[in-house]
Amino acid sequence: MAAAFRKAAKSRQREHRERSQPGFRKHLGLLEKKKDYKLRADDYRKKQEYLRALRKKALEKNPDEFYYKMTRVKLQDGVHVIKETKEEVTPEQLKLMRTQDVKYIEMKRLAEAKKIERLKSELHLLDFQGKQQNKHVFFFDTKKEVEQFDIATHLRTAPELVDRVFNRPTIDTLQKEKVKGVNHQTRLKRIAKERQKQYDCLAQRIEREKKLFIVAQKIQTRKDLMDKTRKVKVKKETVNSPAIYKFESRRKR
């Protein structure tokens, strides 16, 4: 039964492949159909054209020719293999990029930005270490005035208060008014310590927000690279910045 089934299947397959022919020329072999011949002939011509183009390219090759791609390609077991460039990312960035989505990173970054704005509104940032120092320029007419210049006398304040950038009363104010607020040395030190702690927290949050922004940019760059549009790398990726690509401009339909 199985042999008969196989024989019938072979006969059907033969009927599909070969053209009907008289019985007296069956001993000459299969007479294939025209569509099968065309497929075989087209495949043969395509391979011959490819081989002809390779021979021409090998004959016209310039031995002094150089491509920048050659610096990233090495010969391994007779096959050209492109060296994979290492990604410039820190372990923390890599962990976030693999486990979190860009929307989550952006949400956390915006939360940090709001906390930073709230801390900035609470702190005056007058003696913040990261703040650029202001300059106070005094103008004089003669060199003698420059040599005799005394900043405490000019600002009409006590010499001990000259270095302050805030709460610098004049001598007249000190003589007329009484000292208000906290004046105990221990409490002043505690207040200064708490203020410095707030400034340290602000600096940490600014640094965290910056790192989250970089991670979000790198994730978005990897998503953009999934597009099949032709692109050229303009700038390599670093720890503090993502890679920059220039995409081919396409007209929107």
Side-chain angles (χ1 to χ4, degrees):
M1 183 71 180
F5 178 77
R6 283 197 298 271
K7 189 174 181 181
K10 284 184 179 179
S11 64
R12 283 197 301 270
Q13 190 177 5
R14 193 181 299 113
E15 287 174 3
H16 177 72
R17 288 181 181 176
E18 60 184 276
R19 193 163 55 179
S20 57
Q21 57 180 326
F24 65 86
R25 69 167 313 280
K26 227 170 192 179
H27 66 281
L28 297 175
L30 299 175
L31 186 61
E32 63 181 346
K33 292 185 177 181
K34 188 174 182 179
K35 64 176 184 179
D36 296 329
Y37 164 74
K38 286 189 70 176
L39 289 173
R40 183 169 57 84
D42 291 343
D43 182 62
Y44 175 78
R45 291 195 195 97
K46 186 178 178 181
K47 290 176 180 177
Q48 290 299 318
E49 287 292 333
Y50 187 68
L51 289 172
R52 194 179 296 111
L54 287 176
R55 291 193 193 98
K56 185 179 179 182
K57 193 174 182 180
L59 288 172
E60 295 177 353
K61 182 184 177 183
N62 183 5
D64 298 328
E65 197 169 4
F66 173 76
Y67 296 98
Y68 282 101
K69 194 175 180 181
M70 293 178 181
T71 59
R72 297 186 292 109
V73 177
K74 62 179 180 179
L75 198 64
Q76 186 175 353
D77 297 331
V79 181
H80 287 280
V81 180
I82 299 177
K83 299 177 184 176
E84 295 183 0
T85 55
K86 294 183 178 179
E87 297 178 347
E88 292 288 340
V89 290
T90 61
E92 293 83 3
Q93 291 177 354
L94 192 61
K95 184 178 179 181
L96 277 174
M97 289 161 59
R98 287 180 177 175
T99 57
Q100 305 298 342
D101 188 53
V102 64
K103 291 183 179 179
Y104 173 79
I105 300 295
E106 194 64 24
M107 181 193 71
K108 296 294 286 184
R109 189 186 71 81
L110 290 175
E112 287 293 335
K114 288 181 181 179
K115 291 177 182 177
I116 289 169
E117 290 299 323
R118 189 171 68 250
L119 276 173
K120 282 183 177 180
S121 64
E122 293 174 359
L123 299 170
H124 294 290
L125 300 176
L126 294 173
D127 54 351
F128 183 43
Q129 294 179 356
K131 184 176 179 292
Q132 186 177 1
Q133 295 295 327
N134 295 328
K135 293 181 180 180
H136 197 154
V137 183
F138 300 95
F139 296 92
F140 300 97
D141 295 330
T142 61
K143 291 183 178 179
K144 187 177 180 180
E145 292 179 353
V146 175
E147 293 172 356
Q148 295 177 354
F149 173 70
D150 181 37
I151 188 169
T153 306
H154 189 83
L155 295 175
R156 295 180 299 167
T157 187
E160 295 82 4
L161 304 177
V162 169
D163 294 333
R164 283 192 176 186
V165 293
F166 67 98
N167 192 17
R168 187 172 55 198
T170 61
I171 294 176
D172 296 337
T173 306
L174 292 172
Q175 290 174 353
K176 293 177 182 179
E177 301 287 339
K178 293 182 179 180
V179 178
K180 298 178 182 179
V182 179
N183 55 6
H184 197 272
Q185 195 67 21
T186 307
R187 293 191 65 187
L188 287 172
K189 286 182 179 180
R190 184 164 64 249
I191 291 172
K193 188 176 180 180
E194 289 177 359
R195 185 170 65 243
Q196 186 60 39
K197 186 178 179 181
Q198 292 290 329
Y199 282 133
D200 293 341
C201 180
L202 176 62
Q204 290 175 6
R205 290 195 180 279
I206 291 173
E207 185 66 24
R208 192 180 300 123
E209 191 268 340
K210 182 181 177 182
K211 289 179 179 179
L212 288 172
F213 179 70
I214 293 169
V215 171
Q217 281 190 322
K218 289 186 177 184
I219 294 175
Q220 189 60 44
T221 302
R222 280 161 173 72
K223 282 194 173 184
D224 294 340
L225 289 177
M226 296 173 68
D227 190 3
K228 294 183 179 179
T229 309
R230 291 180 62 185
K231 47 197 165 289
V232 179
K233 184 183 280 189
V234 179
K235 188 179 177 181
K236 291 184 178 180
E237 186 181 61
T238 62
V239 176
N240 297 322
S241 65
I244 300 175
Y245 291 85
K246 186 178 181 181
F247 288 80
E248 182 183 12
S249 59
R250 284 187 178 181
R251 184 178 178 183
K252 293 182 178 180
R253 295 183 179 178

